[in-house]
Structure formats: C-alpha cells, structure tokens
Amino acid sequence: MEPTLISDCLIHVFTFLPEGDLISASTVCKDWYDAANTPWLWRRLCLQRWTFCNLHVLGTEHMNNSWKMYFLRRCHLETKMGKGRTGGYTCKSLRGHTGSVVGLVYLQGNLAQNPDLRNSSATVCSASSDGTVRAWSIQNGELLWCTPVQDPLSNIITDEQRDVVVTADSTGLIKTWRGSTGQEVASFPAGSPHCTLLQYDVNDDWFLTVGTGGGSVCTLADSTLSKKSSVKVCDTFRVNILKVSPNKKWIVAGTKDNDDLSPKVIYTESLTTPSEDEDPLCRAVPVAGCSAAVFVPTQPARLAVVHQTVPSDNKALTVFDVSIKKSKYKSEIQVQQVESFPLSLNTWSSRVLLEAKDSNCLVLSCERELWVYSLKGALLANFKEHTMSIASICLDSFRVVTASQDLSLHVLTWKNDRDAGLTLESRYHLLGGSHTMSRYCVLIPSLWCIYLS
C-alpha cells in the first residue's frame, strides 16, 4: 500500500478521536505521529469547540503546528481560569481619580494591530466626576497623562484611528482631546446635561452626533466641532439611546424614560449634509417605547428593539429592516418588520440591555438574568449567575462578558454544538462579590475592566 494512502486513511480514522486520544495515538510510531499532527485535524477540533480562533496570539515564532498549539494552550487557559487559578488573567488597579469614574474606554493598540497585548503599548482612557480625563497603560497600570480639572464629566468615547478622545460634562460642554497627549482640541456647548455621544465616519469625514437631555439630536463635524444639524426626537425627555447602523446610513435615537415615545430612525446623510430648506429625514419606529435597541452587525440596516406591548404592558423584541425609497420629488424612510416575539421580563425594570452577535443571535439581559435568542425568538440559552443586577454586557466573536453591581465579571464563551447549533457556555467568574456597587464593564481584546461609581 502506498504511504500516501496509509496517511490519508489514518487521518480519516483520527477524525473520530477526541484530543486526548489523538495525542496518545501520536506516540505509537512516526507514521501515526505525522498523521495525528496534521494541522487540518487540529483546526477541525478548534472550530468544533470555539466559534472564533485567533492564531496571531501565539506569535510568528509558533506558527508551525499552530492549530495544535492553539488548541492545547486555550484548553489549558480555560481550565486554569475555570478553577480561579492565577496565570490565566491579570488584574490591574488604575488609581488616581478623586471622584466617581463615569466612563472607561479603549484608546489605542488594538489586538488586530498588536496581537500580544501583554507586550503592547495599549491604553485605556477614563473620565470622572472629579472633572479630569486620564490615560493609562494597560501593561503596568501607569498614568500616562491627565487633563486639567473642569466641570464634572458625564460621558466619554474615543476614536482610535484619529487619536481623539471626546467628553461631555455636567453642563453639556462637549470637548475633544488629543489621545496621545491629553491636549484640548475643540469644544462645543450643547447646552444640556446628560449628553449621549456617538462618533462615526462617512466617506472618511468625521462626525459626532450628540443626544441631549432636552430630547434633541445635534450633529457636529471634524476637529472644530462645527454644527451641521439638529433635530428634535424625544420632546423634553433625554436621548439615552443612540446607535449607528453598520453601513453608517442610519441612526436610531430614543429615550428609555418614557414608554409612550417611539424611537426614531434618522437618515444619516440628512444630518451630515443637511438641506437648507428641509429638516433632517426621520421616521418613528412603529413600537411603544424603547427599553433597548441595537443594529445587527452583519446586516447593513437591521434594527432590533425591546419595547412595550399594547395593551398588555409586557415586553417584546421586534426586528426591523430600514431602507429609503427615493423618488423625483421626495425621499421616504421605510421600516419593515422582520420578526417579533414576546419576552418574559420584569416590565418595570429599566435595566434592559441588548446586544447582537450576528444576523441570527441576540443577547439580552434584565436585572440578574441573561438570555440568548435566535432571530425567530427561540431561546438558545439562559443564565442567572449574578447576585445583583447586570450593569453591562460586552461581546465579541469569542465570548460574552457581563458586569454586575455585585462587582463580579461573568465570562461565557460561544460554542458550536453538533445538535443544538450555536449556544453560549458559562465559563467562570472573576473578582467576586462586594458590598460596593459597580456600574460598567468595558471589553478590550484579551482584557476586561470593571470599575466603581
């Protein structure tokens, strides 16, 4: 029999073996060793166990036989972290603020550009009610820069590509800062506290849309923060829901503070390049109220909304496709319902969080519980691990991290089950409980942060 045929037969047989038996088989003889170390076999095991694998974390010096090494290292890491052992994660304390931390955001050095986070210059940026913005090194927790004291801050976002930090303070003053130095670049008085910030690029042009406490949406342009447009969406209620679609053509704006006010979708072009004689183009989403909203990341303009049902006052989740119909004389926004299904939630709770993994998977939390639904409403998983309300959800292609007011992080990983398909598997808790309450969680590639307020 030809050696190639022997090898092919062995590889086929080895596809039925779990990783432990595959390693044992590799010790029998040279032919079995070569067959058992075929990269395709270990790649297959990796993708069967995890939905997302990033081999770059191994470094270029380990690219030979990398699928096997990746599988073994990741299994070892999960085992250690599942038992709460050190070495699987690092905890850094960022100390310096004298007031409550109101925001913590990723600033620079992402995983795609620098796979080895432990040897990178990655930084995070924090804002506080003490009126300062501070930048920190992830590697050693060192303070890199601090802005002068100003009015108490209420919000912070960043644009890594342009090295820009954006903040809002308690008076509604919006400021931009240079990410590398902390130097102030520009400011704009929104004239209202409790501002929500949303930054996005359209055709390489930089825009910032601000949701105000008075119910307006104001759009600013470039580093000078020049005002482009303003539109009223929530009467006198604050805009605390503000999201942009993956294709950057749509913005959804709404309020969680009134169950009778529908969220609105706004055509982005009418905000960034407004017509002199026409108001920005927007349309109400046909639902009652809005507890949470998210655009599906793998679709150009698919919007999921958690809202009240009429007349029962229960919660439901409805998915819409948003598009625009243009004619010679006018343009009209179309909002087409795709799916809708009821939810078993506490109808009086304001702690409803919603995220989307892909076109067929929605992650929802309310109080202490976490649910994973398919787009058609099938319940894929349900967890109740925290002792207090979930304050934030962060997810990527590999994991879901929830932060709770009990000061714990709950980490779950996506799993491809042969029978059930995509599901979520509870992996471990970090930090543990405390009588001190926390508010936020920020997920950075290979890093989780939880902080107090």
Side-chain angles (χ1 to χ4, degrees), residues 43-110:
R43 178 181 182 274
R44 182 173 176 269
L45 285 173
C46 285
L47 297 180
Q48 282 180 345
R49 181 158 180 168
W50 304 293
T51 60
F52 176 76
C53 300
N54 183 8
L55 269 64
H56 291 290
V57 297
L58 298 176
T60 55
E61 68 274 14
H62 298 295
M63 292 308 289
N64 291 333
N65 210 16
S66 57
W67 282 105
K68 179 181 179 181
M69 182 176 294
Y70 181 89
F71 184 93
L72 297 178
R73 283 194 177 186
R74 187 160 169 181
C75 287
H76 178 64
L77 176 63
E78 288 183 350
T79 299
K80 287 198 301 180
M81 295 187 74
K83 296 179 179 179
R85 295 178 181 174
T86 59
Y89 57 90
T90 301
C91 182
K92 294 291 184 183
S93 178
L94 309 179
R95 299 181 181 273
H97 285 297
T98 58
S100 299
V101 176
V102 299
L104 181 68
V105 289
Y106 182 69
L107 184 57
Q108 64 180 12
N110 65 44

Side-chain angles (χ1 to χ4, degrees), residues 46-209:
C46 285
L47 297 180
Q48 282 180 345
R49 181 158 180 168
W50 304 293
T51 60
F52 176 76
C53 300
N54 183 8
L55 269 64
H56 291 290
V57 297
L58 298 176
T60 55
E61 68 274 14
H62 298 295
M63 292 308 289
N64 291 333
N65 210 16
S66 57
W67 282 105
K68 179 181 179 181
M69 182 176 294
Y70 181 89
F71 184 93
L72 297 178
R73 283 194 177 186
R74 187 160 169 181
C75 287
H76 178 64
L77 176 63
E78 288 183 350
T79 299
K80 287 198 301 180
M81 295 187 74
K83 296 179 179 179
R85 295 178 181 174
T86 59
Y89 57 90
T90 301
C91 182
K92 294 291 184 183
S93 178
L94 309 179
R95 299 181 181 273
H97 285 297
T98 58
S100 299
V101 176
V102 299
L104 181 68
V105 289
Y106 182 69
L107 184 57
Q108 64 180 12
N110 65 44
L111 189 62
Q113 296 172 345
N114 203 332
D116 191 355
L117 187 62
R118 290 167 294 183
N119 296 324
S120 75
S121 58
T123 60
V124 291
C125 203
S126 58
S128 169
S129 63
D130 65 15
T132 64
V133 183
R134 296 170 184 253
W136 312 85
S137 166
I138 288 176
Q139 187 175 7
N140 53 28
E142 177 187 358
L143 177 65
L144 302 178
W145 52 258
C146 176
T147 65
V149 177
Q150 55 194 310
D151 286 316
L153 298 173
S154 60
N155 204 347
I156 182 173
I157 61 172
T158 58
D159 178 7
E160 179 187 358
Q161 298 299 321
R162 298 178 188 257
D163 191 36
V164 172
V165 180
V166 186
T167 60
D169 68 21
S170 58
T171 69
L173 184 63
I174 311 299
K175 286 187 177 182
T176 53
W177 313 82
R178 189 160 288 113
S180 56
T181 63
Q183 179 182 356
E184 182 179 335
V185 179
S187 64
F188 176 84
S192 172
H194 310 297
C195 290
T196 302
L197 305 175
L198 177 67
Q199 190 281 316
Y200 52 94
D201 289 354
V202 177
N203 299 324
D204 294 327
D205 292 326
W206 191 91
F207 294 99
L208 176 70
T209 293

Side-chain angles (χ1 to χ4, degrees), residues 142-453:
E142 177 187 358
L143 177 65
L144 302 178
W145 52 258
C146 176
T147 65
V149 177
Q150 55 194 310
D151 286 316
L153 298 173
S154 60
N155 204 347
I156 182 173
I157 61 172
T158 58
D159 178 7
E160 179 187 358
Q161 298 299 321
R162 298 178 188 257
D163 191 36
V164 172
V165 180
V166 186
T167 60
D169 68 21
S170 58
T171 69
L173 184 63
I174 311 299
K175 286 187 177 182
T176 53
W177 313 82
R178 189 160 288 113
S180 56
T181 63
Q183 179 182 356
E184 182 179 335
V185 179
S187 64
F188 176 84
S192 172
H194 310 297
C195 290
T196 302
L197 305 175
L198 177 67
Q199 190 281 316
Y200 52 94
D201 289 354
V202 177
N203 299 324
D204 294 327
D205 292 326
W206 191 91
F207 294 99
L208 176 70
T209 293
V210 180
T212 72
S216 295
V217 169
C218 178
T219 298
L220 313 175
D222 58 57
S223 60
T224 61
L225 296 181
S226 58
K227 184 176 179 180
K228 301 295 290 186
S229 64
S230 181
V231 59
K232 200 81 168 180
V233 295
C234 298
D235 293 329
T236 59
F237 292 90
R238 62 175 177 168
V239 177
N240 46 24
I241 294 177
L242 199 61
K243 307 281 185 178
V244 65
S245 64
N247 63 5
K248 305 299 187 293
K249 289 185 177 181
W250 303 99
I251 286 175
V252 61
T255 182
K256 301 178 184 180
D257 301 336
N258 188 306
D259 289 336
D260 295 325
L261 291 178
S262 301
K264 292 183 178 179
V265 286
I266 311 170
Y267 189 44
T268 307
E269 184 179 313
S270 68
L271 295 176
T272 58
T273 55
S275 172
E276 293 183 359
D277 54 352
E278 292 183 3
D279 292 330
L281 189 61
C282 67
R283 176 175 175 177
V285 180
V287 295
C290 182
S291 300
V294 67
F295 280 103
V296 176
T298 55
Q299 299 291 324
R302 176 161 288 181
L303 176 66
V305 180
V306 177
H307 59 91
Q308 297 289 116
T309 58
V310 179
S312 63
D313 273 347
N314 293 321
K315 298 282 188 183
L317 195 154
T318 304
V319 181
F320 301 93
D321 278 339
V322 184
S323 60
I324 188 167
K325 183 180 180 181
K326 294 184 177 182
S327 65
K328 184 177 180 180
Y329 299 104
K330 68 174 183 177
S331 297
E332 181 182 359
I333 297 175
Q334 296 183 323
V335 181
Q336 181 70 38
Q337 180 176 313
V338 178
E339 296 288 346
S340 186
F341 53 89
L343 299 171
S344 300
L345 304 182
N346 179 354
T347 57
W348 301 109
S349 175
S350 61
R351 298 184 180 278
V352 179
L353 303 173
L354 179 64
E355 297 290 343
K357 179 183 183 292
D358 53 33
S359 60
N360 194 41
C361 189
L362 300 168
V363 180
L364 173 74
S365 77
C366 181
E367 299 296 334
R368 294 178 292 168
E369 288 194 69
L370 184 77
W371 296 267
V372 183
Y373 287 99
S374 73
L375 187 68
K376 293 186 177 297
L379 181 61
L380 304 179
N382 175 229
F383 303 92
K384 194 174 181 179
E385 306 288 342
H386 289 294
T387 60
M388 296 182 70
S389 297
I390 296 173
S392 184
I393 302 175
C394 300
L395 63 83
D396 58 17
S397 299
F398 164 45
R399 69 207 138 201
V400 174
V401 183
T402 58
S404 169
Q405 289 184 328
D406 62 16
L407 198 58
S408 69
L409 296 176
H410 182 211
V411 183
L412 311 96
T413 55
W414 297 108
K415 181 180 179 181
N416 277 322
D417 187 274
R418 292 184 177 181
D419 298 322
L422 180 68
T423 187
L424 200 58
E425 183 178 23
S426 177
R427 300 302 301 180
Y428 40 80
H429 264 78
L430 298 178
L431 299 184
S434 170
H435 294 295
T436 306
M437 295 173 67
S438 66
R439 288 178 57 194
Y440 300 104
C441 167
V442 174
L443 177 62
I444 298 169
S446 300
L447 174 78
W448 304 292
C449 299
I450 187 170
Y451 60 88
L452 307 180
S453 62

